Amino acid sequence: MNLKFLRSASLLLGMAFAAKAAPLRILAIGDSMTEEYAYELTFSAPDSDQFNANVRNWPELLRLFRPAEATLGPFESTGGSYLDLRDAGHEWNFGIPGMTMVFWKNLLYNTPSNDDDEKVVKYAYGVTRNALENQLPSAQVVVILLGANDLKKEYNDLFNNTEDPNFLNDLVHTYLNQIYAWVRFLRPNVPIVVCTVPDVGATPQISGTYNIPAKQASTRAKIAAFNQSIITWAAGKTTNPPAIARIDLLTDRLFDEHPFQLNATVFTLPGHPENLPTRVFCKDGFHIATMAQALVANEIMATINTKLGTNLTLFSNREILQNLLGLNPDQPYLTWISAAGLTGSPMDADPDRDGIPNVAEYALGTPPNSFSRPFTGSFAPGRSFSWHPDPIGLRFASLTAEESANLTTWAPVPAARTSTAGDGTVSVTPAVGSRSFVRVQALAKP
């Protein structure tokens, strides 16, 4: 037996195991947006099957689709597994329904109030705090995602300008600050991610009642300033400051993007009794459904990557559509090509023989079944090469101008030599003193 060979093989095997990093250990402090939706059946289960959730939230998505990269701890599937305010789920997930920043501060510092909503949870504050203290040493990063319930409770006053003048300031500088300080005291060096607060005015449940445009706008401005104060507060921490995950940018998109879409697949904001995959919100009209939770997961993962230098893989739109929602990410193209009488014609096909493949025709807004000349000008010194893309087609596919001096090696035309006119026309020019070729590359978005 060759002992030298065995020692070398063992060393190589050990190096291989060492090179495979263990999943990043995340501990979360939150509310019903963070508790596993599997245990939030009042809104996460369809009416036709009220005991089985068909939507997932960000901790569940990490467990199901990124198990080798991140974990919120061992998973307990049986309800009542934890003898505290958690029901079941991940051991390091302290997402507790109904909790506000105020309640969490009271839990951590053992200062419960007589608030009617707090009476139903404060009985278990002590055991929950002890469990959190026991699990906190396991965390490589702590995520704090709170505040939506605080805004919901006070939204009527915010909308009507009758709120306590210090309400939003106190949320940041008293309650959030004390939650952060409690974690920082027990774990002085652990990275902490603090999430901005989603604007609950974007939810159908709230906007259906509070729908006076001028008041909606002023309330949105207050909440935007509140989120900016969270960012400013974090920047003021001089020692190991928290990183900020901009969850509020998602509700900005819900306010401003009409329609809301991923790669041309359109989503409807209000929930549906069956929690259809193309809905932004669950059937209660307040909690975001799987698609939006994936975007929340992306923001949290991107912030962790920046803070820790990790490489957690964000969910692409195509992965969200296909793997998380069970939709066909190519359906917008298939619908378009069928409407042209070319059902099933592939993206790279050119049935009208104009030299432009179908996917490029879609992005350009030209018909795939009749000859088109969408490009004008020339890629020559002193001139420009132009085209006018279709905004709807660009939701699904990208158009990238590439240049080459030899028709073999291609590179994107730099932004400095690319311009977009007010009507959307895109123009590119060659480098000064050079002779080169240009092409426009059309690709379905990832």
Side-chain angles (χ1 to χ4, degrees):
M1 182 179 295
N2 190 330
L3 295 179
K4 182 177 180 181
F5 170 79
L6 287 177
R7 283 195 298 270
S8 299
S10 298
L11 178 61
L12 289 172
L13 186 62
M15 290 174 64
F17 278 115
K20 185 178 180 180
L24 182 72
R25 301 188 300 275
I26 302 171
L27 184 142
I29 295 174
D31 51 32
S32 57
M33 188 171 169
T34 295
E35 187 194 38
E36 293 82 2
Y37 276 6
Y39 308 103
E40 298 277 5
L41 298 176
T42 56
F43 64 79
S44 64
D47 283 359
S48 61
D49 187 4
Q50 298 182 18
F51 298 100
N52 290 290
N54 65 344
V55 288
R56 297 288 180 260
N57 72 349
W58 69 270
E60 292 170 313
L61 294 176
L62 294 184
R63 175 172 59 87
L64 294 170
F65 296 97
R66 299 291 186 269
E69 297 185 26
T71 177
L72 278 85
F75 186 78
E76 296 288 349
S77 61
T78 304
S81 295
Y82 303 112
L83 301 178
D84 51 50
L85 288 173
R86 296 170 297 163
D87 186 15
H90 301 89
E91 194 167 347
W92 307 327
N93 184 3
F94 285 81
I96 300 172
M99 291 295 280
T100 63
M101 287 187 185
V102 176
F103 294 174
W104 260 108
K105 173 264 175 187
N106 292 345
L107 182 155
L108 297 176
Y109 290 87
N110 194 27
T111 56
S113 72
N114 291 320
D115 184 290
D116 288 340
D117 292 330
E118 193 169 13
K119 288 178 181 178
V120 301
V121 292
K122 67 182 183 181
Y123 72 93
Y125 274 5
V127 293
T128 305
R129 182 175 60 255
N130 290 340
L132 178 56
E133 289 178 352
N134 290 335
Q135 299 303 331
L136 197 56
S138 300
Q140 291 174 293
V141 61
V142 174
V143 175
I144 300 173
L145 175 46
L146 289 167
N149 286 331
D150 299 86
L151 295 183
K152 183 181 181 182
K153 283 168 66 73
E154 299 296 325
Y155 197 85
N156 182 73
D157 286 336
L158 289 167
F159 190 79
N160 292 301
N161 288 316
T162 56
E163 76 274 13
D164 184 314
N166 296 317
F167 168 64
L168 294 174
N169 183 72
D170 286 347
L171 282 185
V172 179
H173 296 284
T174 298
Y175 299 105
L176 177 58
N177 189 63
Q178 291 193 50
I179 294 166
Y180 170 81
W182 187 89
V183 175
R184 182 58 73 219
F185 176 77
L186 293 179
R187 292 291 307 278
N189 299 312
V190 71
I192 298 175
V193 170
V194 172
C195 300
T196 53
V197 182
D199 186 339
V200 298
T203 68
Q205 187 182 108
I206 299 295
S207 63
T209 300
Y210 300 94
N211 52 18
I212 301 172
K215 288 189 173 184
Q216 285 179 318
S218 63
T219 308
R220 184 181 176 188
K222 289 180 189 178
I223 294 173
F226 161 65
N227 276 313
Q228 184 57 51
S229 72
I230 293 175
I231 297 169
T232 303
W233 162 82
K237 300 295 182 183
T238 56
T239 303
N240 196 9
I244 297 295
R246 294 294 304 275
I247 307 302
D248 63 308
L249 297 180
L250 172 59
T251 43
D252 281 347
R253 288 185 62 186
L254 299 182
F255 277 121
D256 299 331
E257 292 187 18
H258 305 285
F260 192 92
Q261 53 84 29
L262 295 184
N263 291 9
T265 294
V266 174
F267 289 81
T268 304
L269 264 65
H272 184 278
E274 292 301 303
N275 282 336
L276 300 179
T278 52
R279 299 301 173 112
V280 175
F281 287 90
C282 297
K283 65 183 186 181
D284 68 345
F286 186 76
H287 292 84
I288 54 174
T290 303
M291 179 276 294
Q293 283 280 357
L295 300 182
V296 168
N298 278 351
E299 182 62 30
I300 291 172
M301 287 192 289
T303 305
I304 289 173
N305 285 344
T306 300
K307 179 71 173 176
L308 278 68
T310 49
N311 291 294
L312 302 179
T313 306
L314 275 58
F315 295 107
S316 69
N317 288 349
R318 183 167 285 266
E319 182 182 9
I320 292 171
L321 294 168
Q322 182 169 326
N323 297 351
L324 278 61
L325 301 176
L327 302 173
N328 186 343
D330 294 330
Q331 191 57 54
Y333 166 81
L334 296 174
T335 300
W336 172 81
I337 201 69
S338 294
L342 296 168
T343 300
S345 184
M347 293 188 202
D348 59 355
D350 181 18
D352 56 8
R353 300 183 180 180
D354 59 3
I356 306 171
N358 286 335
V359 68
E361 302 256 31
Y362 186 20
L364 289 163
T366 53
N369 52 6
S370 62
F371 198 91
S372 304
R373 287 292 189 195
F375 301 102
T376 60
S378 64
F379 200 63
R383 303 191 66 184
S384 62
F385 181 76
S386 304
W387 64 95
H388 189 279
D390 177 64
I392 294 177
L394 285 182
R395 295 173 183 171
F396 180 81
S398 62
L399 292 170
T400 304
E402 297 179 336
E403 60 185 354
S404 174
N406 54 17
L407 294 177
T408 300
T409 303
W410 294 88
V413 177
R417 291 191 276 112
T418 303
S419 63
T420 302
D423 67 351
T425 299
V426 179
S427 300
V428 293
T429 57
V432 175
S434 70
R435 180 179 178 181
S436 56
F437 303 92
V438 69
R439 69 181 183 185
V440 176
Q441 183 88 321
L443 295 171
K445 290 184 176 179

